[in-house]
Amino acid sequence: MNQDSSIAQIAAILREELSGLRAGDRLPSSRELVRRHGVSPVTVSRALGRLAAEGRVVTRPGSGAYVSQPPAPTSAALDLDWQTVALGDRVVDASGVTVLLTPPPDGVIPLTGGYLNPSLRPDRQLAAAAARAVRRPDAWALPPLAGLTELRRWFAAQAGGDVTGSDTLIVSGGQAALTHAFRALAAPGTPLLVETPTYPGALAAAKAAGLRATAVPMDRDGVLPDLLAEAFAVTGARVFYCQPTLHNPTGATLPRERREQVLAVARAAGAFVIEDDYARYLMPRAPAPMVSMDAHGTVVHVNSLTKILAPGLRLAAVIARGPAAHRLRASQLVESFVVARPLQETALEFVGSPAWTRHLSAVTADLTARRDALAAALTARLPEAELHLLPQGGLHLWVRLPPHVSEDAVVEEAGRQGVLVSPGRMYYPSEPPGPRLRVTHVAATHLAELTEGVRRLAAAYQAVTKTS
């Protein structure tokens, strides 16, 4: 039974049980439902999510799920079928992003996710920076339309080369930056070249913008320049999206020579390179970004503070030059005017304080220890999972399963065993070459939990391969 049918079955059983309960009654705990029905915690969580969406139950974190109050009677059911015709067939698929952002159920170890565990976040220092920020005289005034001048200069200095603050635009996080860039640089219906595999959030944003993602192969050093040139020639694309530093999910980092080759290929094709530099602060010594080597306005550079600081700090910079910069700024203004000034002031306070350098040092050291612990645990307990490479930093490891193993079955059984991993297929713009998993070390609370997560994953793998 696949996961969707399991969720539907558990939801149907719970609907029937609800008929014998009163408003306010508590449902059995998630752990009890897992035991009673022999399904994974993820299945139970999503079945309860369906019932909550239907208005049948309400969930209270740390307390459980309860029967909701019945809705007030209406004269007739609301008919919304007409919207299907009015909306047309352009679907915005957020399923991959939703999976990555959904917190794990109680008792489930997350070997997935993209943000620092709360134990690694500088919450107290951010709170102190926010307190200082809101005391500034103009904290609640309208900021400059492109962002605070000092913050733009700071991001420009991080990029290096001859980048200036006037080239920089402050936006509401890296995902918003990608959305703006895709819409500004490519017309709906045109191709967008991407590395394969690639970040699912970029694929979702590209699809929402009406673009056709076209895969360009990689090796352990990143995208292959000769195949990139061929893809530009065959498709006529004018935009290439990439993550040259600690690529998600593979962990590859482009060496300088290949960065120069990618720029030369894009320049020859008259195309833009969107450089998603999301992981710049997740390794001890990040290489110079491609934008610092760019003398022709080819690179549109994205740098975010969210990954290194906190998921609630939705703030990033987009660096671009020429007409592309004008179009990006217009996109930002039309969509949301500006980024909230208190958020910008808070970021500026934090990166200008000693807490910033201390935090960088502590996080990169911790991530190195977690990476090594995860790699060692996988080698010891799950040797059948081949590690693509040991990245220089970052949050993830990319592993290949034997060809005969069902990726979906391993992911489903892992959830049943109490550990979450990301299926590889969600990272491909087209058919994946085989079963893969992305395994994350940053979301676990500590190294012991990380090791236990791998033990559960290995148990799931053994259970699947014994029955296949």
Side-chain angles (χ1 to χ4, degrees), residues 67-94:
V67 181
S68 62
Q69 294 288 341
T74 58
S75 56
L78 188 62
D79 181 7
L80 301 176
D81 290 346
W82 66 271
Q83 291 190 2
T84 303
V85 177
L87 289 170
D89 59 0
R90 187 167 66 87
V91 176
V92 178
D93 183 6

Side-chain angles (χ1 to χ4, degrees), residues 41-61:
V42 177
T43 297
V44 169
S45 176
R46 293 183 179 175
L48 289 172
R50 287 193 182 186
L51 297 182
E54 295 168 6
R56 298 174 186 268
V57 302
V58 293
T59 56
R60 301 170 187 167

Side-chain angles (χ1 to χ4, degrees), residues 306-331:
T306 305
K307 294 291 186 187
I308 187 61
L309 293 180
L313 192 73
R314 306 301 310 168
L315 193 142
V318 182
I319 294 171
R321 301 172 184 179
H326 293 294
R327 188 173 292 185
L328 281 160
R329 292 181 183 184
S331 174

Side-chain angles (χ1 to χ4, degrees), residues 112-128:
T112 187
Y115 298 111
L116 298 180
N117 183 275
S119 64
L120 301 178
R121 293 198 312 247
D123 287 351
R124 286 189 300 173
Q125 295 89 336
L126 279 173

Side-chain angles (χ1 to χ4, degrees), residues 345-370:
E345 298 279 11
T346 296
L348 189 59
E349 282 281 351
F350 187 85
V351 298
S353 72
W356 167 245
T357 52
R358 290 197 300 266
H359 175 66
L360 286 182
S361 177
V363 167
T364 52
D366 196 280
L367 292 182
T368 299
R370 286 168 174 262

Side-chain angles (χ1 to χ4, degrees), residues 103-187:
D106 292 342
V108 176
I109 295 175
L111 295 185
T112 187
Y115 298 111
L116 298 180
N117 183 275
S119 64
L120 301 178
R121 293 198 312 247
D123 287 351
R124 286 189 300 173
Q125 295 89 336
L126 279 173
R132 295 193 301 271
V134 296
R135 288 197 297 267
R136 292 187 175 191
D138 296 327
W140 298 100
L142 183 72
L145 298 185
L148 295 179
T149 301
E150 297 89 344
L151 188 58
R152 292 161 61 200
R153 287 174 180 163
W154 183 85
F155 273 112
Q158 298 294 300
D162 60 356
V163 175
T164 68
S166 62
D167 302 323
T168 307
L169 172 69
I170 304 301
V171 298
S172 298
Q175 189 68 20
L178 297 185
T179 298
H180 289 311
F182 292 156
R183 290 177 178 173
L185 303 179

Side-chain angles (χ1 to χ4, degrees), residues 276-326:
D276 184 356
D277 206 15
Y278 83 100
R280 167 141 302 274
Y281 308 115
L282 302 177
M283 62 190 302
R285 289 173 297 278
M290 287 198 292
V291 72
S292 68
M293 311 171 188
D294 176 29
H296 303 286
T298 300
V299 177
V300 173
H301 177 83
V302 176
N303 183 6
S304 170
L305 289 174
T306 305
K307 294 291 186 187
I308 187 61
L309 293 180
L313 192 73
R314 306 301 310 168
L315 193 142
V318 182
I319 294 171
R321 301 172 184 179
H326 293 294

